[in-house]
Amino acid sequence: DSGVTQTPKHLITATGQRVTLRCSPRSGDLSVYWYQQSLDQGLQFLIQYYNGEERAKGNILERFSAQQFPDLHSELNLSSLELGDSALYFCASSVVPGHGEAFFGQGTRLTVV
Amino acid sequence: AQTVTQSQPEMSVQEAETVTLSCTYDTSESDYYLFWYKQPPSRQMILVIRQEAYKQQNATENRFSVNFQKAAKSFSLKISDSQLGDAAMYFCAYRELDTGRRALTFGSGTRLQVQP
């Protein structure tokens, strides 16, 4: 158990819909990262938050957004969903950005039908 | 931009034997981290080993060790005494040390099969 909790584990939704994925980082970790793992794109970095503020952006679509709340949990919002958004979405956390390893949650499997 | 390349999509090893997974990367930075992550069928991403670029000594964790060649930008993972539980996807990853982009850049992965 990495200490990073993601909910839900599985999500099935229709095209055009909006979903919210939730992540609770390890206790004490201030930095949260979101990654997308799809079959054809591999593991790609989406966005990073540190202590409530956006720190870095990767290949995140405009239809996607995220935030980190005062209790440090984070949410990834995916809207106007398309079939191609079907993927495994991971959250990871680390104590301080730029140092040491990141610990991953178990991921949320999103299926868009 | 940093890139990470894993040129072996699949590897196979006999139980109790040794296998080496390859990884090369491209960066203009002098200080950075390199990692190997394991992803079993459960899909959990599990950290296997970490290497700081400023350390010349190769990292070792039990049956797992790396061969870090900084000049060649090579970072291979050696698994000794392979076990059935080692069967998984293995991802090599790069991360800048302190400034700039702090997220992980992953290779495309190597699927390791362990034959009994």
Side-chain angles (χ1 to χ4, degrees), chain A residues 35-87:
Chain A
Y35 292 87
Q36 179 193 56
Q37 185 178 28
S38 57
L39 283 176
D40 57 347
Q41 295 288 328
L43 270 155
Q44 294 212 334
F45 166 66
L46 295 178
I47 196 164
Q48 177 202 358
Y49 277 81
Y50 175 70
N51 203 20
E53 295 188 0
E54 182 184 302
R55 184 59 70 96
K57 264 187 175 179
N59 300 319
I60 189 166
L61 300 172
E62 286 191 9
R63 300 183 285 108
F64 296 179
S65 65
Q67 54 185 329
Q68 187 178 27
F69 294 86
D71 66 353
L72 301 178
H73 91 271
S74 178
E75 292 181 356
L76 179 67
N77 301 297
L78 314 176
S79 62
S80 302
L81 285 167
E82 303 174 359
L83 296 178
D85 297 327
S86 296

Side-chain angles (χ1 to χ4, degrees), chain B residues 2-116:
Chain B
Q2 291 82 10
T3 58
V4 178
T5 302
Q6 293 179 250
S7 58
Q8 306 155 315
E10 288 195 15
M11 293 282 285
S12 183
V13 63
Q14 293 288 329
E15 201 175 359
E17 296 295 309
T18 296
V19 65
T20 298
L21 308 184
S22 300
C23 172
T24 58
Y25 58 95
D26 186 27
T27 183
S28 57
E29 302 293 324
S30 58
D31 287 326
Y32 45 86
Y33 287 102
L34 294 164
F35 306 88
W36 279 97
Y37 280 88
K38 169 185 177 182
Q39 188 178 41
S42 67
R43 294 293 196 170
Q44 174 78 49
M45 293 290 288
I46 301 166
L47 178 68
V48 174
I49 201 164
R50 177 182 87 178
Q51 175 79 43
E52 291 91 340
Y54 61 88
K55 291 185 178 178
Q56 292 188 343
Q57 186 173 7
N58 289 324
T60 299
E61 288 288 341
N62 300 315
R63 297 183 295 106
F64 299 88
S65 62
V66 298
N67 184 4
F68 173 49
Q69 302 288 330
K70 190 172 184 180
K73 296 180 182 174
S74 170
F75 182 60
S76 60
L77 175 69
K78 186 171 81 171
I79 305 174
S80 304
D81 185 25
S82 296
Q83 300 175 359
L84 294 177
D86 295 334
M89 281 290 287
Y90 286 82
F91 292 95
C92 179
Y94 165 99
R95 179 162 146 178
E96 288 183 12
L97 183 65
D98 189 30
T99 60
R101 197 157 181 254
R102 297 167 178 81
L104 292 161
T105 300
F106 287 92
S108 55
T110 296
R111 182 173 302 281
L112 178 66
Q113 296 180 330
V114 181
Q115 308 297 334

Side-chain angles (χ1 to χ4, degrees), chain A:
Chain A
D1 183 6
S2 67
V4 180
T5 304
Q6 287 188 249
T7 56
K9 285 192 172 59
H10 302 277
L11 197 50
I12 301 175
T13 190
T15 54
Q17 295 299 305
R18 172 189 169 94
V19 297
T20 297
L21 312 183
R22 182 187 169 100
C23 169
S24 294
R26 292 189 319 158
S27 177
D29 285 0
L30 300 178
S31 199
V32 169
Y33 310 80
W34 286 97
Y35 292 87
Q36 179 193 56
Q37 185 178 28
S38 57
L39 283 176
D40 57 347
Q41 295 288 328
L43 270 155
Q44 294 212 334
F45 166 66
L46 295 178
I47 196 164
Q48 177 202 358
Y49 277 81
Y50 175 70
N51 203 20
E53 295 188 0
E54 182 184 302
R55 184 59 70 96
K57 264 187 175 179
N59 300 319
I60 189 166
L61 300 172
E62 286 191 9
R63 300 183 285 108
F64 296 179
S65 65
Q67 54 185 329
Q68 187 178 27
F69 294 86
D71 66 353
L72 301 178
H73 91 271
S74 178
E75 292 181 356
L76 179 67
N77 301 297
L78 314 176
S79 62
S80 302
L81 285 167
E82 303 174 359
L83 296 178
D85 297 327
S86 296
L88 190 56
Y89 290 85
F90 283 108
C91 168
S93 74
S94 64
V95 175
V96 177
H99 291 273
E101 60 267 28
F103 294 88
F104 282 76
Q106 290 194 322
T108 294
R109 166 71 70 187
L110 173 66
T111 303
V112 182
V113 297

